[in-house]
Amino acid sequence: MLVLAACLQVKAQGVPTFHLQQYADLSIVNQLSDNGKWAIVKGATTEQRKAGVIRIVNTETKEETILKTLLDGDAKGMYVANDITDDGRWVVGGFKGSFTDDGSYMGGQPGVFDMVQKIWTALELPKGYTSGYVNSVTPDGKWAVGFC
C-alpha cells in the first residue's frame, strides 16, 4: 500500500441513501466503505473516543467486530480508524498513539489493520517524520493518503 500526501476532490453522483444506526452507548458511524457494506463505529464524545473501542460493522448482516489484535486485552483508546476497503479486509488509521484531553488522536504510527489476521502493519514514514495516521484508502486497498 502506498501512502500519498495529497488532496483529492470528489463529486457525488446523486443523493445518497441515509440509514439510521442507533447504538446504546451513543457511538456513531464515522465512516463507510465506498460500497456501503462496512461501517467504522466509534465514540461520539471526547470521553468515548479516549476510553472506547472501535467496531467494524457489516451493514448487511449487522455482525460487529471489535478492532483489536490477538494480543490486546480490551483495545480501549488504542487506535484510530479512518477508512475501510470495500471487501472489509483493510482498515486504515494509526496505532501506538494517544488521545489528547479534547479527544484528538495524536502521534502514533500510520498503519493498516488486517481484519483477517488481526494485526497492524506499520506504513513507512517519510524521512524526518516520526508520527501520523492514514486518513483514507481506495476501495481496492491499492492507495492511501495520510497525515504526518
Side-chain angles (χ1 to χ4, degrees):
M1 181 175 297
L2 177 65
V3 178
L4 302 174
C7 295
L8 301 174
Q9 183 177 16
V10 179
K11 290 186 177 183
Q13 301 296 317
V15 178
T17 302
F18 184 79
H19 294 284
L20 179 63
Q21 302 288 325
Q22 294 180 315
Y23 296 93
D25 64 357
L26 303 179
S27 292
I28 59 171
V29 174
N30 181 263
Q31 185 71 339
L32 283 174
S33 60
D34 287 356
N35 63 2
K37 183 175 179 179
W38 302 97
I40 299 174
V41 179
K42 49 189 168 180
T45 68
T46 299
E47 289 307 312
Q48 286 174 334
R49 285 190 299 276
K50 288 166 57 177
V53 295
I54 297 169
R55 297 189 303 262
I56 306 301
V57 179
N58 180 319
T59 61
E60 295 172 357
T61 66
K62 306 300 185 221
E63 179 183 352
E64 292 188 6
T65 304
I66 293 176
L67 185 75
K68 67 179 185 175
T69 69
L70 297 174
L71 302 176
D72 293 335
D74 61 16
K76 289 184 178 176
M78 295 178 65
Y79 310 124
V80 63
N82 295 322
D83 202 1
I84 188 166
T85 56
D86 275 357
D87 62 4
R89 171 82 188 258
W90 306 104
V91 176
V92 298
F95 62 107
K96 295 185 180 176
S98 61
F99 287 89
T100 63
D101 289 341
D102 71 356
S104 300
Y105 186 81
M106 298 299 292
Q109 175 67 49
V112 58
F113 187 82
D114 183 331
M115 290 295 293
V116 174
Q117 295 185 26
K118 306 294 185 207
I119 58 170
W120 279 99
T121 299
L123 299 178
E124 187 176 341
L125 286 161
K127 187 174 179 144
Y129 292 90
T130 59
S131 65
Y133 54 86
V134 183
N135 290 326
S136 184
V137 66
T138 56
D140 62 3
K142 183 176 179 181
W143 300 96
V145 294
F147 168 80
C148 297

